[in-house]
Amino acid sequence: MEAAVVQPTIRVAGLCGSLRRASYNRGLLRAATEICKDSIGGMTIDYVDISALPFINTDLEVDGTYPPVVEAFRQKILEADSVLFASPEYNYSVTPLLKNAIDWASRPPNVWAKKPAAIISAGGGFGGGVAQYHLRQIGVFLDLHFINKPEFSLNAFQPPQNKFDIDGNLISPEVKKRLKEVLLALQAFTLRLKDGN
């Protein structure tokens, strides 16, 4: 009798580019965390709070070290197997909050390098789709490896408008199904990169 092969648990760092209490993007990240707990074995999402990071300033770098809150953030990214970005769109780009976190983690040594990643977003218009393309461009320089499919951008304001509750929690079963497909793709891609394929 052969022993069952146990896949290692994939640790995903979840980052949200919104500070708003009832943010739909934060709601997507919460839903993704629950989906992993409930129906995807071998993968967990750890929410990484980026709200306390100081605005990037190289004057804060002393002898190759960073402020303690930045060092702690960088360590969380370094220890993660992959990254899930929940990114709202501001003026066709990522939010200042998210860009600040990206920039801190890219300082030497770049802790984003060789990480698999995925992007989810909700908002008006294209549902954050243009910001996703900009984030992918940033990722090229950072050596982040984004999954290509499925893409996930959600216009939260088009009918049916009951995708989120008043607290920003995702309540749409159809959207949760799409979100699960992204998570499964991220899991498969992460395992593939870990195996060197």
Side-chain angles (χ1 to χ4, degrees):
M1 180 178 203
E2 290 183 32
V5 177
V6 178
Q7 291 286 357
T9 298
I10 294 170
R11 295 178 57 205
V12 181
L15 282 74
C16 181
S18 177
L19 292 171
R20 193 168 64 85
R21 182 187 60 78
S23 161
Y24 294 153
N25 288 280
R26 191 176 308 276
L28 289 176
L29 205 50
R30 281 193 303 271
T33 302
E34 289 302 314
I35 290 168
C36 281
K37 285 180 188 172
D38 296 343
S39 64
I40 299 178
M43 187 159 112
T44 61
I45 298 175
D46 300 314
Y47 173 71
V48 179
D49 186 3
I50 58 176
S51 65
L53 294 174
F55 198 71
I56 191 161
N57 178 352
T58 54
D59 289 341
L60 299 176
E61 299 176 26
V62 180
D63 298 323
T65 63
Y66 303 96
V69 67
V70 174
E71 290 282 7
F73 163 67
R74 289 171 53 84
Q75 190 62 36
K76 288 177 184 175
I77 301 303
L78 187 63
E79 292 172 355
D81 298 305
S82 56
V83 183
L84 179 63
F85 294 96
S87 178
E89 183 175 309
Y90 287 15
N91 302 315
Y92 286 175
S93 188
V94 297
T95 63
L97 175 70
L98 185 56
K99 183 64 167 67
N100 187 53
I102 290 168
D103 291 344
W104 271 123
S106 73
R107 298 295 298 155
N110 172 18
V111 296
W112 300 116
K114 300 184 181 355
K115 300 273 186 202
I119 314 167
I120 54 176
S121 60
F126 298 116
V130 178
Q132 288 193 22
Y133 290 124
H134 192 197
L135 182 52
R136 287 174 182 274
Q137 288 176 323
I138 294 167
V140 170
F141 182 77
L142 300 176
D143 199 21
L144 272 167
H145 303 290
F146 287 102
I147 62 169
N148 290 321
K149 298 288 181 180
E151 293 180 300
F152 185 103
S153 57
L154 177 68
N155 187 318
F157 308 107
Q158 282 184 339
Q161 291 182 324
N162 57 343
K163 298 174 186 96
F164 296 90
D165 67 17
I166 194 166
D167 295 318
N169 296 307
L170 182 63
I171 57 174
S172 166
E174 294 83 15
V175 175
K176 286 181 181 182
K177 181 179 176 190
R178 287 182 51 213
L179 188 53
K180 183 175 181 179
E181 291 170 1
V182 171
L183 297 172
L184 290 170
L186 179 60
Q187 181 183 43
F189 188 51
T190 302
L191 289 171
R192 198 170 86 216
L193 289 182
K194 283 183 119 181
D195 291 341
N197 296 323

